[in-house]
Amino acid sequence: MCGIIGYTGNKDAGPMLLESLKKMEYRGYDSAGFGILHGGALRVMKDAGRIAEIARKVGISDEKGNTGIAHTRWATHGGVSQNNAHPHVSCDASIAVVHNGIIENYQELSSQLKAEGHRFASETDTEVIAHLLEKHYREGNHLKAFQETAKQLKGTFAFLALFDDKPGLILGARKDAPLIIGVGKGGNFIASDIVSFIEQTDRVVFLKDYEIASITANKIEVFTFDGEPVEFAPTHVAWEASDISKKEFAHYTLKEINEQARTLSAALDQDEEKINEFCITIKNAKNTIITASGTSFHAGMLMRYLLAKFAKIHAQSILASEIDQEIDLVEKDTLVIAISQSGETADVIGAVRKAASRGASVISIVNTAGSSLTRESKITLYINCGPEIGVAATKSFTSQLAIIYDIVFRLAGLEEKRAQLRDLSKHVEIILSQDTSIREIAKRYKITSDFYFIGRGLHFPIALEGALKMKELSYIHAEGLAAGELKHGTLALVDAGTPVIAINPGDETYDETLNNIAEMKARGATIIAVTDKQNQLYNDVIEIPAVDSVFFPILEVIPLQMLAYYAAVERTLDPDYPRHLAKSVTVK
Ligand code: G6P
């Protein structure tokens, strides 16, 4: 959701924070702001708009001062405006706060604080934190003020604060939202996301819930909300600084789409013991639920199909945000498999916690090391695709699929298919080389108002994913459908020229899907087929290599990502930062 970052060290905080904030822009990008401490003065600069523009306006690159905090916002409480942008300050502007999450009891707290004379300047939930810190602060005891404040807050939060009487100090607290310390040389960082400081340091401390961090240029301390000191040891993260550069690509999304030949293989590099334990846990489970949100849910759907088809294991796939409807059926011997790129999606964390509280075991497939979901899980398999910056998930999806396929083949004893899976990368290169022709198709259909994506069997989750990509990136309305369901309603919408993306490679679903395509074509639809098998019904064809049919889904999603990406580019939109969306949705 929102991104927060603090830096204290021997360099000027302004330019350091600006660079960090740009790396976190994918977490939210409707407003941004900075709070800088310099010579006992606390300066707050903030506005609505994109980071680069605000930074230029306030002149952050020339700002002096070695300690600061910054924020990039994805609005939840309060509209997008300068007043609602972070940092928020106490009445006397001596304390500045940036926050990620939602303070659920903010109305009650702000009424109390107002009655006590505090003056509020915004409509946000965050502002109560600044006033609470002010209320609880007694000279020299910053930590105590933090403890008292954190204990009064309900909801999810990671927040950072500066006090103008304590140059060099940043305090941060976490509950149910990520907060990570970056241990640097000559300075330290604290942020909601490792990518924000990975160019400076890969030594990190993952804070846990109900912990407070106190950071200066050369000292890091961690405490509980009760003020008890906590021992900690920094760990190294495997991400490289170069992973977060766009390289020669116009956008992160395009770079990440193009990384998939490599990331597919990386996903398969798993610790044997761990992945075996993961498989045994699935095998022994009496009742299995796969849960996730967004793109990861589509991977979960495909996992359900593959488990049934090849390993003869029944699992349900349930959207994390909908788990309440079936939570009563979760019991001690239920296994929950949670899938999440970020490991921070609030709906997913909420779902696994509810299931765990009923005795279920949780195992997970995650990209981000140390994320909240990994802590809720008995076993976590990492997909190892490196940081994914583009808001719309691309490489993380195919990496999730690679691990899922490997798990299913292990469970089904299909060693030969496991070897074929390792070989898939070379086919990805062939698809990526069709860049120009896919862009041509995107150009031709860029003014359409609707797209329909159809697929049957294993291709149905991919139809859903293709439609989701198209909506997220190009803002064109798109619907993903099981091909067989068309005639039960959606066919009524098909008209002369309606573009239909038919995912129809030559497997056992081919003929039936072709019938559905014919039904649409008879009503005037224009058919864009993703296939290895030509047919005269098709107006346009995006070719995929003829592989063993089980692997088609991993390959066919890639041209759909490219199509959505180019549709956005052709419509002069920014594919990396789609409007209203955020990469890591840490609120419910
Ligand atoms: C957000 C992102 C989506 C993503 C979903 C789930 O909505 O914009 O791209 O699929 O969250 O994220 P997760 O990190 O749990 O996979």
Side-chain angles (χ1 to χ4, degrees):
M1 238 43 299
C2 304
I4 60 175
I5 168 90
Y7 168 78
T8 174
N10 54 20
K11 296 194 178 139
D12 277 331
M16 295 293 277
L17 291 172
L18 173 59
E19 282 317 302
S20 293
L21 213 53
K22 281 189 196 155
K23 308 279 167 12
M24 272 196 300
E25 192 159 22
Y26 69 93
R27 294 185 75 96
Y29 31 88
D30 54 45
S31 330
F34 303 85
I36 308 277
L37 269 176
H38 181 48
L42 174 58
R43 221 162 98 73
V44 166
M45 296 145 274
K46 60 184 191 177
D47 212 338
R50 293 291 289 268
I51 294 169
E53 195 185 305
I54 296 166
R56 221 178 2 258
K57 214 157 50 185
V58 303
I60 197 70
S61 302
D62 302 322
E63 192 67 25
K64 294 284 165 232
N66 301 125
T67 304
I69 54 177
H71 186 268
T72 177
R73 183 167 188 246
W74 187 90
T76 56
H77 291 68
V80 178
S81 67
Q82 185 179 36
N83 277 356
N84 290 337
H86 300 214
H88 292 287
V89 295
S90 55
C91 297
D92 63 1
S94 65
I95 304 169
V97 172
V98 291
H99 161 231
N100 173 30
I102 291 182
I103 306 301
E104 282 163 10
N105 58 338
Y106 82 100
Q107 286 175 329
E108 181 193 319
L109 290 170
S110 70
S111 310
Q112 257 170 35
L113 287 159
K114 279 177 193 162
E116 290 164 15
H118 288 263
R119 295 175 318 278
F120 280 69
S122 77
E123 304 151 314
T124 66
D125 54 334
T126 302
E127 198 181 341
V128 294
I129 304 176
H131 293 286
L132 278 178
L133 286 171
E134 183 172 41
K135 172 178 167 171
H136 294 303
Y137 180 57
R138 304 279 172 276
E139 215 177 300
N141 209 339
H142 307 88
L143 179 62
K144 187 91 181 139
F146 236 68
Q147 289 168 234
E148 297 304 316
T149 299
K151 281 201 260 186
Q152 266 190 282
L153 303 174
K154 294 203 177 107
T156 59
F157 54 81
F159 64 89
L160 305 176
L162 299 176
F163 293 80
D164 71 356
D165 65 351
K166 194 72 181 171
L169 176 75
I170 303 173
L171 286 172
R174 112 156 234 173
K175 180 188 163 270
D176 294 337
L179 196 58
I180 303 131
I181 301 169
V183 185
K185 289 202 180 83
N188 293 309
F189 299 82
I190 180 163
S192 46
D193 206 317
I194 295 169
V195 298
S196 63
F197 56 69
I198 191 78
E199 280 181 335
Q200 308 299 328
T201 177
D202 61 359
R203 289 183 73 216
V204 302
V205 178
F206 293 104
L207 287 179
K208 299 193 196 71
D209 283 343
Y210 305 103
E211 284 184 352
I212 294 172
S214 165
I215 297 192
T216 62
N218 40 35
K219 191 166 181 193
I220 296 172
E221 291 172 290
V222 179
F223 303 92
T224 64
F225 281 7
D226 289 323
E228 297 297 322
V230 174
E231 286 197 16
F232 62 89
T235 51
H236 279 273
V237 284
W239 289 356
E240 302 281 328
S242 65
D243 286 345
I244 55 163
S245 105
K246 263 193 264 184
K247 301 205 174 128
E248 74 273 23
F249 296 98
H251 297 101
Y252 283 112
T253 307
L254 185 61
K255 175 196 165 215
E256 287 158 6
I257 289 172
N258 275 273
E259 278 171 343
Q260 291 178 102
R262 180 178 60 76
T263 51
L264 264 183
S265 309
L268 297 172
D269 289 336
Q270 295 292 325
D271 177 82
E272 271 302 302
E273 216 174 293
K274 209 159 146 205
I275 194 164
N276 278 333
E277 199 191 335
F278 200 93
C279 292
I280 292 166
T281 310
I282 298 177
K283 204 173 206 156
N284 292 340
K286 198 172 144 217
N287 170 25
T288 301
I289 292 174
I290 305 166
T291 194
S293 302
T295 290
S296 299
F297 179 72
H298 297 149
M301 261 182 93
L302 196 53
M303 182 174 201
R304 180 183 112 209
Y305 281 10
L306 292 166
L307 278 172
K309 217 172 149 78
F310 294 97
K312 310 298 171 215
I313 291 174
H314 175 251
Q316 281 170 283
S317 47
I318 306 180
L319 283 166
S321 58
E322 288 291 313
I323 205 148
D324 282 353
Q325 308 314 310
E326 296 181 60
I327 199 76
D328 291 347
L329 303 178
V330 171
E331 29 186 70
K332 236 179 36 256
D333 41 18
T334 302
L335 174 68
V336 175
I337 307 174
I339 308 174
S340 173
Q341 187 282 128
S342 62
E344 300 292 352
T345 302
D347 289 323
V348 179
I349 304 294
V352 300
R353 283 191 181 153
K354 277 180 198 155
S357 72
R358 298 184 58 88
S361 306
V362 177
I363 58 177
S364 57
I365 299 175
V366 173
N367 190 32
T368 310
S371 55
S372 303
L373 182 54
T374 66
R375 293 203 211 126
E376 307 284 336
S377 313
K378 215 173 76 187
I379 317 169
T380 298
L381 295 181
Y382 287 108
I383 61 173
N384 301 328
C385 71
E388 189 177 63
I389 310 279
V391 166
T394 52
K395 63 175 178 174
S396 64
F397 181 66
T398 47
S399 295
Q400 288 167 345
L401 292 188
I403 285 205
I404 288 168
Y405 272 73
D406 199 34
I407 291 167
V408 172
F409 293 155
R410 282 169 189 263
L411 284 165
L414 294 169
E415 287 306 313
E416 201 183 306
K417 291 216 191 299
R418 287 191 58 216
Q420 283 174 281
L421 180 60
R422 291 207 163 267
D423 235 22
L424 222 53
S425 294
K426 64 172 190 268
H427 300 293
V428 174
E429 298 288 4
I430 299 173
I431 293 173
L432 294 171
S433 69
Q434 294 180 62
D435 195 77
T436 317
S437 55
I438 294 175
R439 183 168 190 161
E440 267 310 304
I441 297 177
K443 197 171 182 174
R444 231 170 305 139
Y445 296 98
K446 70 173 185 187
I447 53 161
T448 185
S449 54
D450 308 279
F451 267 117
Y452 294 92
F453 288 70
I454 62 164
R456 189 178 281 265
L458 300 183
H459 313 297
F460 172 38
I462 304 299
L464 294 176
E465 177 58 12
L468 180 62
K469 283 298 85 96
M470 188 57 84
K471 284 186 277 197
E472 284 176 301
L473 294 180
S474 74
Y475 314 157
I476 298 172
H477 167 251
E479 239 179 275
L481 290 153
E485 280 298 295
L486 263 172
K487 54 189 175 296
H488 300 300
T490 311
L491 198 56
L493 300 176
V494 174
D495 215 341
T498 304
V500 175
I501 315 282
I503 306 166
N504 197 27
D507 62 9
E508 76 277 7
T509 65
Y510 181 82
D511 289 330
E512 283 184 344
T513 303
L514 203 61
N515 289 342
N516 305 128
I517 291 169
E519 288 154 14
M520 298 189 108
K521 184 91 181 183
R523 284 152 184 91
T526 303
I527 310 295
I528 303 145
V530 178
T531 185
D532 61 328
K533 203 168 165 184
Q534 286 284 353
N535 191 283
Q536 62 191 25
L537 290 174
Y538 303 153
N539 298 78
D540 282 300
V541 171
I542 299 174
E543 242 184 276
I544 54 169
V547 289
D548 179 330
S549 62
V550 67
F551 297 113
F552 281 135
I554 301 183
L555 297 182
E556 68 205 16
V557 75
I558 297 172
L560 301 184
Q561 296 167 346
M562 293 162 81
L563 192 68
Y565 168 79
Y566 282 120
V569 171
E570 288 296 335
R571 287 160 69 92
T572 61
L573 301 171
D574 182 347
D576 285 345
Y577 304 111
R579 68 182 175 200
H580 312 322
L581 300 181
K583 179 130 194 91
S584 184
V585 182
T586 52
V587 293
K588 281 197 183 174

